[in-house]
């Protein structure tokens, strides 16, 4: 079978790597891909913002399975367009992807279905915003309604700064694009968990949990990024808590979407805060996480293609996933200056030495290939990922490998997973 993957990041590299391991797969094509993906798949140019162009790629390739990586094409209706042409695609329709593409939609949905989440108000005017802010105690969380690549959330220490942030989102001063809706939300405290599930619209199968590190700086300081590293262990969630999250969050979400005639199939990514009152939904994503996918897929022993096909065919109820016990960790190497501006086109060395460290896979997030030379091509450049019997060993392997990699200004956090290590008895 030929598999086509849309996207160009570390998530897509990990997906391509996992798909290529399936004995059923004869060819992997990625549009547009990156320098690392090009080593295991055929890359074809594509603009992820242009649904018609992506459809043309799919029609030319006629793959047996299409996987959509990023949120933007999902929110633009790529799945609907491919389904209309009779193509087999893994991912939610545009209406279902609104769980990610509109925070206002997601919050109202959560409330309608009594799924635990922070108290909130959805505001459409500055006057509504000012009134809503009065009802919350600082710190107050102010969120853009639409997709914002992790930059749409402001945590405000006073009502005045919350109102300023809301105004900034309405006028476009904060994100560039003016927002129609702004969500004001109660501040939640606790550990964050990325709880990803596969679903065919009826059955829900959890993947192993992961914890992302969103801030650029060590000790969770500095601005938010797309994710600087992640780890996954069995100990992160005990079976009782996993069952609670399935029964109170993941399954009611999938059931609610089906009841509302917008059945959700694909990956339901529940971004959870583990608060003193129990798990609460911070956000939904309608896709695999990045860099969560790199760490999660390194632990997957089952055939990913079988599982994704079951989501398309409505047969996920017959599937159970096998995972390697132990742990995995991914440390992201980024360009100097990220998440602000940064240089690209810098040569990277040490990649093959890093890949030889036992248990390590080097997934490329933002790279390009010029002849045989791999160059930097994004803010997040590489996700050095390792699996091992324990989290300590997985981190040791990932850090041993990343130390072998060099490009001008390379930066990575030295404390990925450290909070989990400290918590251990
Ligand atoms: P989101 O895009 O909604 O996941 O928000 C991005 C990040 O902002 C989350 O991963 C949290 O770290 C933080 N965040 C979002 N909502 C809240 C909240 N209600 N309380 C505390 N932190 C939050
Ligand atoms: N790692 C966060 C995300 O994929 O949205």
């Amino acid at each position: 079978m030929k598999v086509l993957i849309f996207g160009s990041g570390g998530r897509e590299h990990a997906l391509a790597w996992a798909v290529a391991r399936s004995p059923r797969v004869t060819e992997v094509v990625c549009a547009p891909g990156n320098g690392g993906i090009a080593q295991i798949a055929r890359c074809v140019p594509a603009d992820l913002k242009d649904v018609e162009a992506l459809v043309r790629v799919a029609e030319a390739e006629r793959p047996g399975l299409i996987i959509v990586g990023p949120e933007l094409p999902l929110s633009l209706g790529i799945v609907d367009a491919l389904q209309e042409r009779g193509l087999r695609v893994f991912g939610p329709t545009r209406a279902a992807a609104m769980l990610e593409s509109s925070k206002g939609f997601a919050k109202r949905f959560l409330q309608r279905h009594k799924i635990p989440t922070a108290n909130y108000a959805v505001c459409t005017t500055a006057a509504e915003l000012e009134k809503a802010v009065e009802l919350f105690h600082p710190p107050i969380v102010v969120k853009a309604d639409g997709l914002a690549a992790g930059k749409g959330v402001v945590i405000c220490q006073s009502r005045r700064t919350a109102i300023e942030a809301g105004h900034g989102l309405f006028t476009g001063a904060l994100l560039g694009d003016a927002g129609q809706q702004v969500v004001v939300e109660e501040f939640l405290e606790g550990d964050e968990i990325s709880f990803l599930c596969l679903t065919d619209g009826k059955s829900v199968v959890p993947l192993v949990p992961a914890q992302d590190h969103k801030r650029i700086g060590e000790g969770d300081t500095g601005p938010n990024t797309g994710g600087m590293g992640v780890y996954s262990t069995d100990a992160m969630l005990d079976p009782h808590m996993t069952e609670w999250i399935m029964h109170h969050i993941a399954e009611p979400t999938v059931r609610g979407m089906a009841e509302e005639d917008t059945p959700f199939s694909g990956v339901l990514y529940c971004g959870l805060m583990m608060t003193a009152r129990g798990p609460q939904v911070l956000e939904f994503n309608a896709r695999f996480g990045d860099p969560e996918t790199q760490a999660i897929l390194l632990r997957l022993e089952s055939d990913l293609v079988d599982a994704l096909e079951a989501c398309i065919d409505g047969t996920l109820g017959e599937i159970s996933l096998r995972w390697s016990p132990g742990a995995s960790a991914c440390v992201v190497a980024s360009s100097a200056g990220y998440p602000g501006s940064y240089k690209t086109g810098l040569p990277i060395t040490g990649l093959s030495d890093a890949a030889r460290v036992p248990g390590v896979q080097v997934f490329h997030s933002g790279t390009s290939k010029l002849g045989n030379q791999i160059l930097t091509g994004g803010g997040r450049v590489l996700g050095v990922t390792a699996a091992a019997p324990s989290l300590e060993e997985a981190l040791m392997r990932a850090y041993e490998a990343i130390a072998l990699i060099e490009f001008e200004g390379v930066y990575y956090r030295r404390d990925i997973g450290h909070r989990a290590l400290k918590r251990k008895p």
Side-chain angles (χ1 to χ4, degrees), residues 119-193:
N119 289 320
Y120 74 98
V122 181
C123 310
T124 51
T125 64
E128 272 176 27
L129 169 82
E130 280 160 34
K131 260 189 40 220
V133 163
E134 288 306 314
L135 303 173
F136 290 84
H137 281 285
I140 300 171
V141 183
V142 178
K143 297 186 177 184
D145 182 65
L147 297 180
K151 299 186 190 85
V153 177
V154 194
I155 295 171
C156 307
Q157 298 304 328
S158 69
R159 291 200 173 88
R160 184 181 53 77
T161 51
I163 290 170
E164 279 168 15
H167 284 172
L169 292 173
F170 275 134
T171 59
L174 266 186
L175 278 182
D177 275 335
Q180 306 291 317
Q181 295 196 116
V182 168
V183 176
V184 178
E185 196 173 281
E186 169 197 11
F187 180 76
L188 298 177
E189 269 174 294
D191 265 345
E192 277 185 66
I193 298 269

Side-chain angles (χ1 to χ4, degrees), residues 11 212 214 226-227 269 283 285 287-292 380:
R11 162 184 50 212
D212 194 5
K214 292 210 160 118
Y269 167 144
E283 65 161 345
N285 293 319
R287 51 167 175 85
F288 283 104
D290 190 339
E292 285 89 341
R380 291 190 292 173

